[in-house]
Amino acid sequence: MRNLTAHFFGFALNMKRLPWRSYYQLCKPKVVAVMLLTVVVGMCLALPGALPWAKVFWALVGIGLSASSAAAINHLLDENIDRQMARTRYRPLPQGQLQPLQVLGFALVLGTLGIGILFSLVNALTAWLTLASLIGYAVIYTAILKRATPQNITIGGLAGAAPPLLGWTAMTGQFDPQGLLLVLIIFAWTPPHFWALAIHRKAEYAKAGVPMLPVTHGEAFTKLQILLYTLLMILTTILPYITGMSGLLYITGVMILNLRFLKHVIVLYRGQDEHAAIRTFWFSIRYIMWLFVVLLVDHYLVIT
C-alpha cells in the first residue's frame, strides 16, 4: 500500500519522464474511437430532436476515460500473454517502456475521473452501467474468462456490447428495448469478429496458453461457429427495421454490409484462402463501424 501511495504522488513526474505515446497506447485509442461512435449513435437514436450538447460532451468524456481505463488494465493483466504474441509484443509493458505500477496508477486515475464525471454531470444509471462494463471487460473477461474457457468471447462479449446502451441511457436516464437491441447487435457480432482473429493467431494463443476456441476445438469447428454466429448477427441487424426503429436506408445499407460479411465468412469456412481469417477480422471492424454510421444517417434522413 505504501508503494502504491508513493507511486500516486510521483505519477505526474513519471508522466514527464516517459513518452506520452506509451500512455496513449495503453488507451487503445482506435478501439475506443469505434466504441464512442456506437455511443454517439445510441445518443442520437434515444432522442427525436436536438441533443443536449453539454451532456453529450461530458458523457463521451466520461465513457471514453472509463474505456481507456479498462484498456490499460487489459494491458496490465495480459502482459505475460502480450510478450508471447507478435501482435502485442511491442506494447508498452512488454517493451519495458512502463512499469506495472505506472499502468495501474494511470488506469485508476482515468477510471476514477471517468466514472466521477458520469455520476456528477450525466446520470447515475450511466455511471453504474459504465462501471459494470469496465469491471466486466477488465476483470471478469480479461482476468478470469479469457484464461478459463474457450467461450470467453461469447460470455465476456456483453461488456463490450454495452457502449450504445450507455449512449442511450446518458440521454434518457432509463433503459429502453431499442437501446438493448443495439447491444444485441454488437453481442452477436463479437464472436465472428474475434474468432476470425483467433484463427489467424492460433499458434500464438496456444503458445501463450490461452484457451481460444481454435486452440481447444480446432479450426473447422471454429469456422462453423463463425458462420452460425454470422447468420445470427444478420438476423439481429434486421430487427431495427422490423421494429420500426430504422427505415429503408438502413435496411438497404445493412443488407449490403451483411452480404459482404457473409462472403468473407464463406471464403473462410471453405478454407481455400490462407489469409481469409485476417481479412474477415479487418472487414468485421469496418462492418460494425459502417453499420452504425448507416443507422445514424437513416435516423436523420427519412426515405419512404
Side-chain angles (χ1 to χ4, degrees):
M1 180 62 71
R2 181 178 299 174
N3 290 337
L4 185 59
T5 303
H7 167 70
F8 273 110
F9 280 108
F11 188 74
L13 292 176
N14 289 331
M15 286 292 286
K16 292 180 180 179
R17 294 171 185 167
L18 292 163
W20 65 267
R21 291 181 181 85
S22 297
Y23 287 97
Y24 180 72
Q25 189 178 354
L26 289 178
C27 299
K28 298 186 179 180
K30 293 181 180 179
V31 175
V32 173
V34 175
M35 184 212 73
L36 289 179
L37 170 64
T38 68
V39 173
V40 170
V41 174
M43 291 175 172
C44 294
L45 295 180
L47 298 178
L51 298 177
W53 291 108
K55 181 175 286 190
V56 168
F57 173 79
W58 289 116
L60 290 176
V61 171
I63 295 169
L65 287 173
S66 301
S68 298
S69 173
I73 296 174
N74 177 263
H75 277 263
L76 180 64
L77 296 177
D78 275 355
E79 180 184 3
N80 291 333
I81 295 174
D82 290 345
R83 290 181 186 278
Q84 303 178 61
M85 300 189 66
R87 183 174 66 93
T88 56
R89 67 178 58 162
Y90 296 105
R91 286 177 172 176
L93 278 171
Q95 288 296 302
Q97 297 167 359
L98 296 172
Q99 297 303 311
L101 275 180
Q102 293 170 322
V103 176
L104 177 61
F106 182 67
L108 291 177
V109 168
L110 291 186
T112 301
L113 284 174
I115 300 300
I117 286 171
L118 294 174
F119 265 114
S120 59
L121 298 174
V122 183
N123 58 61
L125 176 60
T126 303
W128 283 116
L129 288 175
T130 303
L131 179 60
S133 298
L134 191 160
I135 294 173
Y137 174 73
V139 180
I140 296 176
Y141 166 69
T142 303
I144 302 174
L145 292 176
K146 189 172 184 178
R147 295 159 174 80
T149 171
Q151 290 297 324
N152 46 28
I153 292 300
T154 307
I155 303 170
L158 187 59
L165 178 62
L166 301 180
W168 194 290
T169 61
M171 296 298 99
T172 64
Q174 60 186 20
F175 285 109
D176 187 279
Q178 291 185 335
L180 294 173
L181 180 54
L182 299 178
V183 173
L184 180 61
I185 291 173
I186 299 182
F187 181 76
W189 163 85
T190 300
H193 159 70
F194 204 90
W195 281 336
L197 177 64
I199 289 176
H200 181 69
R201 299 292 186 182
K202 174 185 174 182
E204 295 180 25
Y205 279 119
K207 180 181 177 181
V210 181
M212 289 298 177
L213 196 64
V215 176
T216 60
H217 289 70
E219 291 188 23
F221 180 80
T222 305
K223 290 175 182 179
L224 176 61
Q225 294 302 305
I226 290 174
L227 177 60
L228 294 176
Y229 269 95
T230 298
L231 296 175
L232 175 63
M233 179 195 73
I234 290 173
L235 291 176
T236 63
T237 60
I238 297 173
L239 292 177
Y241 179 75
I242 294 177
T243 61
M245 182 179 177
S246 63
L248 183 61
L249 178 61
Y250 167 77
I251 193 61
T252 302
V254 81
M255 289 312 297
I256 293 173
L257 289 169
N258 283 336
L259 288 174
R260 291 200 60 188
F261 199 120
L262 187 59
K263 179 181 177 181
H264 278 279
V265 169
I266 290 175
V267 172
L268 173 62
Y269 180 74
R270 289 176 175 173
Q272 298 174 345
D273 182 353
E274 62 178 338
H275 302 296
I278 194 62
R279 287 173 178 163
T280 301
F281 170 75
W282 285 117
F283 178 76
S284 70
I285 297 174
R286 298 193 296 273
Y287 169 90
I288 200 65
M289 180 184 71
W290 281 111
L291 183 147
F292 276 87
V293 168
V294 172
L295 192 58
L296 182 60
V297 172
D298 177 88
H299 179 66
Y300 290 106
L301 183 62
V302 179
I303 297 178
T304 58

